[in-house]
Amino acid sequence: MIKIATIAGSDASGGAGLEADLKTFGEYGLYGMAAVTVVATMDPKRNWAHSVFPLEENALKAQLETVFNGAGVSAVKSGMLGTFYAVELAARYISDSKTKNYVLDPVMVCKGNDEALNPELNASVERNLLPLAAVTTPNLFEAGQLSGIKNISNIEQMKEAARIIHDKGAAFVFVKGGSKLPGAVTAVDILYDGKTFTPFEAPLIKTDWTHGAGCTSSAAIAAGLARGLPVHDAVALAKKFITQSLSASFALNRWVGPGNPCAWRQGTLFG
Ligand code: PXL
């Protein structure tokens, strides 16, 4: 059995965070483990406003000990970290594990949650985690924050941002334009390895229900690496996976809706 772990927040609504990661790992036939950093909740009485409850440092450390020294992993991804000690503990355990397969999803925004927009915490992620990453997966906003290029709105700017983020230490940078690039007719993302820019293009899925798409996509890349795929192949398969997931997206309520990581199977045990 191939083992893989996520260090991420729990999204009580199930579409993002470690819930998305574990569903995705399962679809890749992997044994998923999780170290919970924060618990995120959403208030149905206040327009789905987010609250974030960090786990205390000792509780996170004990989980990391369980995952890394109690089991071991073929790959690891990180998502929402939420505190300085989570960033520092994640860096220590990932570095000590000597894994080559670390995917950093530099989660900075969680719709409606200002706390995640914490510049000092983002700087700590950049300093401590970016140099350990085999792949980092910023969306346009995160790529703007990490590169200093504001309002990225075309492919050239995506490439420039990828170059800057690569120089800060990530081996591969996967900048996700997705549906967010102005005037997008297809979903275009760019992978940069320090030498070559590789575009990945897929049909644009017209849906507002994209909650957890970033988490699912970075989990899928990590899962591909755990299975021994080279980075380009892991990214290509993840892109297919997220396109299928979004094509089966659905409304959870009037505010959000997730994709469906099981969609590629076009069926369940019940038909
Ligand atoms: O999609 C970003 C994200 C990541 N992690 C957790 C979240 C969210 C957004 O809701 O709740 C735990």
Side-chain angles (χ1 to χ4, degrees):
M1 191 53 133
I2 300 171
K3 292 167 284 179
I4 183 168
T6 180
I7 308 171
S10 166
D11 168 13
S13 81
L18 68 87
E19 285 79 358
D21 296 342
L22 292 177
K23 289 170 194 178
T24 301
F25 297 159
E27 296 304 316
Y28 273 71
L30 305 177
Y31 179 77
M33 294 176 280
V36 189
T37 54
V38 299
V39 173
T41 61
M42 297 82 187
D43 187 345
K45 294 202 190 70
R46 291 192 303 126
N47 292 337
W48 210 239
H50 290 50
S51 296
V52 172
F53 303 90
L55 255 73
E56 67 175 59
E57 185 168 0
N58 280 344
L60 177 57
K61 187 162 183 287
Q63 294 177 87
L64 292 167
E65 198 61 37
T66 308
V67 167
F68 285 96
N69 295 335
V73 292
S74 294
V76 55
K77 81 150 261 192
S78 66
M80 183 185 286
L81 296 165
T83 61
F84 289 98
Y85 59 78
V87 175
E88 282 153 23
L89 279 172
R92 186 172 346 135
Y93 276 85
I94 292 165
S95 169
D96 287 353
S97 79
K98 310 241 180 316
T99 182
K100 289 191 172 45
N101 296 329
Y102 166 47
V103 178
L104 164 62
D105 185 3
V107 176
M108 292 180 190
V109 213
C110 194
K111 291 167 202 81
N113 174 39
D114 294 337
E115 202 177 338
L117 288 167
N118 178 338
E120 287 84 32
L121 190 62
N122 296 341
S124 176
V125 168
E126 188 176 316
R127 194 171 53 250
N128 289 290
L129 292 174
L130 212 47
L132 300 174
V135 188
T136 187
T137 60
N139 60 24
L140 292 182
F141 176 82
E142 292 152 354
Q145 295 288 307
L146 289 169
S147 67
I149 302 175
K150 294 291 171 303
N151 299 317
I152 296 174
S153 55
N154 58 50
I155 301 280
E156 277 319 302
Q157 289 174 325
M158 285 169 73
K159 289 182 176 175
E160 188 51 31
R163 199 178 288 127
I164 293 168
I165 297 166
H166 179 270
D167 283 349
K168 292 185 175 182
F172 283 78
V173 182
F174 185 53
V175 180
K176 299 171 296 183
S179 62
K180 296 292 189 301
L181 208 59
V185 285
T186 55
V188 180
D189 310 321
I190 300 284
L191 181 66
Y192 182 59
D193 62 2
K195 286 200 203 82
T196 309
F197 296 99
T198 310
F200 288 84
E201 198 169 351
L204 195 61
I205 309 294
K206 291 215 163 27
T207 176
D208 290 332
W209 310 130
T210 58
H211 178 59
C215 306
T216 303
S217 131
S218 58
I221 294 171
L225 297 182
R227 284 212 156 266
L229 295 181
V231 172
H232 280 84
D233 295 351
V235 167
L237 189 57
K239 179 88 174 157
K240 234 166 100 177
F241 187 80
I242 192 67
T243 302
Q244 282 168 323
S245 172
L246 288 174
S247 70
S249 64
F250 60 97
L252 192 63
N253 54 36
R254 64 193 161 101
W255 297 285
V256 293
N260 179 359
C262 307
W264 68 276
R265 288 189 262 147
Q266 304 191 329
T268 68
L269 278 178
F270 296 92

